[in-house]
Amino acid sequence: MRGPSQREKLPNKFFCCLLLFLLLSAGCTSSDRDWRTASRQSAGIAPDPGQTSEAILQVYAARAWGWRGWFAVHTWIATKRSTEPFYIVYEVIGWRENRGLPVLRIEKDAPDRYWFGEKPKLLADHRGDGVDALIEAVESAAASYPWPQTYRVFPGPNSNTFTAWVAREVPELELTLPFSAIGRGYAD
């Protein structure tokens, strides 16, 4: 008994490729997902800065927006000094370059915001004694980041390049970025 011929296999291959294409393109063109209306609310991971006086330093990652989220994450750092009632968020955002702004953003913000609909994951969490000094080191590393005006999705510099830069400059963070943090090795 012989197996199916090449001609008989062709419709099956074509059907599988067509199905895969339709499934993947549906994720790119879904009309119910719009970055302008995607959630940017707090995920409730970080402690309320008004309710705690201890210093906090956290690093987050969330799936990137759109098709990039299939394989990549966006990372950022959030800090709260002892007794301060707010967080400072350190991150690199590419679209800022198109608006003539530095891509490096350092501002008071919610530390654990959804990244355009994607829930963040906590990669590092430092609290209490000694964390104020760690925050000083992060602040210094951010100030010396070599690409505050430049962004490229691949190979970098991008948001993950920034977080990796800070982690190398401040080894006390003991931070290992995930494989999906594309651009983390740009400065190596």
Side-chain angles (χ1 to χ4, degrees), residues 158-182:
N158 58 34
S159 66
N160 301 316
T161 306
F162 169 72
T163 306
W165 167 267
V166 172
R168 279 190 293 280
E169 295 292 302
V170 186
E172 299 84 5
L173 282 176
E174 299 175 350
L175 176 64
T176 301
L177 293 177
F179 181 75
S180 55
I182 306 298

Side-chain angles (χ1 to χ4, degrees), residues 62-104:
R63 290 254 158 237
W65 170 254
W67 62 269
R68 292 179 188 120
W70 294 344
F71 56 85
V73 295
H74 169 79
T75 58
W76 66 96
I77 300 167
T79 65
K80 186 197 91 60
R81 294 179 190 276
S82 296
T83 69
E84 286 186 336
F86 55 85
Y87 284 90
I88 300 291
V89 173
Y90 300 77
E91 65 186 330
V92 165
I93 302 174
W95 60 258
R96 291 173 56 92
E97 185 176 39
N98 298 336
R99 295 186 178 176
L101 300 169
V103 296
L104 177 56

